[in-house]
């Protein structure tokens, strides 16, 4: 845990899991935080827990205690407040631990999906820069010794390579920008969100972006419903986790329909939130009062589908990038090799 920036999903999940075990064992939240302070090994972690413990001792509110640290996500704080008001804080913390564990796994999956193609692209750029800035000048010298000029394409590539040789700082600046963007999109939550928003505008990845947000909505709805919230409030809170514009618009309409007294299952179906099969599962679950369990199953299903889709995307990206690199390198080499072979055969 760190005091200078918000906690990661993994850190939030660890905190929720520990607090859930403490509360379920009959230990008070104040005693639990005290125990966690004693077990903390990092100074920043101790600082956060001590601050929360001090606020809890002054106010008697666990929600105010965790809110005072300014490191926990808003969604968790909202659920903690509800759990404290309804007397189900132990169950809420357990559900939050599961939710943020999944979020951590999803973040890692997205990180891998961005990082691998980025490394491949970076290698491609590096190979091409070496060819045009280091290899092309050697061929230019060969052509000059033979007393002939290079082809038009080769001349352009040589000019670009010469420019980079004369302005080497530009190469490093360009590569630094690429590395910076890659780190931003892979290592930061805001970067991943920005990448998903951009990817959501593209048809193939747009389907994945909407699927990820549907998973988050289902997982959030399962958590809020299991906490005893009314369907309309559960829908409203869970919809705040969604960033996909298309899905968000449909969810807003769904929230309005539920608030007007319409059946939750019918609203989900009419607004095309889930597939017909999943909506049917929710319909059956609503008759037995187990909608939260149905949403939990749907969230797990979406999680598996997201993993499979990303694995399939990565499996297709690798050969595509290799083919592109091979074509580019081949084209560069052929632009000088073919004229050279023609000259050699004429001798």
């Amino acid at each position: 845990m760190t005091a200078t920036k918000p906690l990661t999903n993994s850190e939030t999940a660890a905190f929720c899991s520990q607090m859930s075990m403490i509360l379920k064992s009959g230990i008070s939240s104040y005693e639990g935080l005290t125990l966690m302070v004693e077990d903390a090994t990092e100074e920043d972690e101790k600082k956060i827990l001590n601050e929360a413990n001090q606020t809890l001792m002054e106010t008697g509110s666990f929600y105010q205690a965790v809110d005072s640290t300014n490191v926990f996500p808003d969604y968790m704080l909202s659920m903690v407040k509800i759990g404290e008001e309804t007397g189900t804080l132990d169950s809420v913390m357990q559900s939050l631990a599961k939710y943020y564990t999944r979020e951590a796994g999803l973040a890692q999956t997205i990180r891998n999906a961005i990082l691998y193609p980025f490394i491949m692209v970076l290698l491609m750029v590096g190979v091409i820069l070496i060819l045009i800035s280091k290899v092309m000048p050697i061929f230019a010298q060969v052509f000059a010794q033979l007393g002939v000029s290079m082809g038009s394409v080769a001349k352009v590539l040589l000019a670009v390579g010469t420019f980079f040789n004369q302005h080497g700082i530009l190469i490093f600046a360009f590569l630094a920008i690429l590395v910076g963007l890659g780190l931003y999109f892979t290592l930061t939550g805001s970067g991943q969100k920005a990448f998903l928003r951009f990817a959501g505008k593209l048809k193939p990845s747009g389907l994945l972006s909407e699927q990820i947000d549907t998973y988050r909505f289902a997982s959030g709805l399962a958590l809020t419903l299991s906490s005893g919230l009314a369907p309309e409030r559960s829908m409203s809170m869970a919809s705040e986790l969604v960033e996909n514009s298309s899905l968000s618009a449909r969810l807003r309409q769904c929230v309005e329909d539920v608030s007007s007294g319409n059946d939750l299952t019918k609203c989900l179906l009419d607004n095309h939130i889930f597939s017909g099969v999943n909506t049917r599962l929710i319909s059956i679950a609503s008759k037995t009062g187990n909608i939260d369990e149905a949403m939990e199953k749907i969230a797990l299903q979406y999680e598996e589908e997201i993993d499979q889709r990303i694995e399939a995307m990565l499996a297709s990206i690798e050969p595509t990038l290799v083919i592109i690199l091979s074509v580019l390198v081949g084209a560069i080499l052929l632009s000088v090799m073919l004229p050279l072979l023609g000259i050699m055969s004429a001798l």
Side-chain angles (χ1 to χ4, degrees), residues 62-80:
F62 184 72
Y63 162 73
Q64 293 184 34
V66 292
D67 185 40
S68 66
T69 62
N70 296 317
V71 296
F72 292 100
D74 293 337
Y75 181 68
M76 174 199 160
L77 295 175
S78 298
M79 292 307 303
V80 167

Side-chain angles (χ1 to χ4, degrees), residues 192-208:
Q192 290 187 8
K193 291 179 180 178
F195 178 81
L196 288 176
R197 282 195 297 269
F198 170 76
K201 299 177 182 179
L202 307 176
K203 187 174 181 180
S205 54
L207 297 175
L208 175 62

Side-chain angles (χ1 to χ4, degrees), residues 220-239:
L221 191 58
L223 175 55
T224 51
L225 287 173
S226 65
S227 301
L229 293 182
E232 57 270 20
R233 190 175 180 190
S234 297
M235 286 281 297
S236 179
M237 289 187 63
S239 62

Side-chain angles (χ1 to χ4, degrees), residues 253-324:
Q253 182 60 50
C254 194
V255 171
E256 292 178 5
D257 294 342
V258 173
S259 301
S260 301
N262 295 322
D263 179 65
L264 173 61
T265 305
K266 184 177 184 302
C267 294
L268 293 173
L269 179 61
D270 292 344
N271 291 281
H272 308 288
I273 307 301
F274 299 114
S275 65
V277 174
N278 287 332
T279 306
R280 178 62 177 169
L281 175 62
I282 297 172
S283 177
I284 296 173
S286 64
K287 297 176 183 178
T288 59
N290 296 318
I291 299 182
D292 55 332
E293 295 181 7
M295 296 306 302
E296 182 79 9
K297 293 179 180 179
I298 292 173
L300 289 173
Q301 175 187 328
Y302 272 103
E303 186 178 19
E304 293 176 359
E305 291 177 358
I306 290 169
D307 288 340
Q308 293 173 0
R309 184 181 290 270
I310 290 179
E311 288 177 2
M313 289 177 61
L314 291 178
S316 63
I317 286 175
E318 180 179 4
T320 301
L321 292 178
V322 170
I323 291 172
I324 293 174

Side-chain angles (χ1 to χ4, degrees), residues 6-191:
L7 299 184
T8 64
N9 289 322
S10 297
E11 291 169 335
T12 303
F15 175 83
C16 293
S17 179
Q18 291 179 55
M19 187 53 63
S20 172
M21 290 188 292
I22 287 170
L23 294 175
K24 286 183 178 295
S25 64
I27 301 174
S28 68
S29 54
Y30 174 76
E31 292 175 323
L33 285 175
T34 302
L35 292 173
M36 291 173 69
V37 170
E38 294 174 355
D39 292 338
T41 56
E42 299 179 4
E43 288 301 319
D44 287 336
E45 184 179 2
K46 288 184 178 180
K47 183 178 179 180
I48 293 172
L49 295 173
N50 274 321
E51 184 176 351
N53 210 10
Q54 181 65 29
T55 305
L56 179 60
M57 185 172 58
E58 295 173 355
T59 64
S61 169
F62 184 72
Y63 162 73
Q64 293 184 34
V66 292
D67 185 40
S68 66
T69 62
N70 296 317
V71 296
F72 292 100
D74 293 337
Y75 181 68
M76 174 199 160
L77 295 175
S78 298
M79 292 307 303
V80 167
K81 186 176 183 180
I82 292 169
E84 195 168 32
E85 291 174 353
T86 59
T88 58
L89 186 58
D90 55 344
S91 299
V92 167
M93 296 303 290
Q94 183 179 28
S95 299
L96 283 170
K98 293 180 180 179
Y99 173 79
Y100 282 105
T101 298
R102 288 180 187 165
E103 281 293 295
L106 178 60
Q108 182 62 47
T109 301
I110 296 173
R111 188 177 299 117
N112 293 338
I114 302 173
L115 185 60
Y116 182 72
F118 167 74
I119 293 175
M120 292 289 292
V121 170
L122 193 62
L123 289 174
M124 287 175 54
V125 172
V127 169
I128 293 173
L129 286 177
I130 291 174
L131 281 175
I132 64 176
S133 63
K134 301 300 180 183
V135 178
M136 290 298 291
I138 296 176
F139 280 103
Q141 293 176 4
V142 173
F143 275 90
Q145 292 173 359
L146 293 173
V148 295
S149 61
M150 302 175 68
S152 57
V153 175
K155 287 181 178 179
V156 172
L157 294 173
L158 178 61
V160 175
T162 302
F163 175 81
F164 279 119
N165 282 330
Q166 295 174 348
H167 304 82
I169 187 74
L170 294 177
I171 298 179
F172 291 105
F174 178 68
L175 293 177
I177 291 173
L178 284 180
V179 172
L181 288 174
L183 294 176
Y184 172 71
F185 286 128
T186 55
L187 300 181
T188 66
S190 59

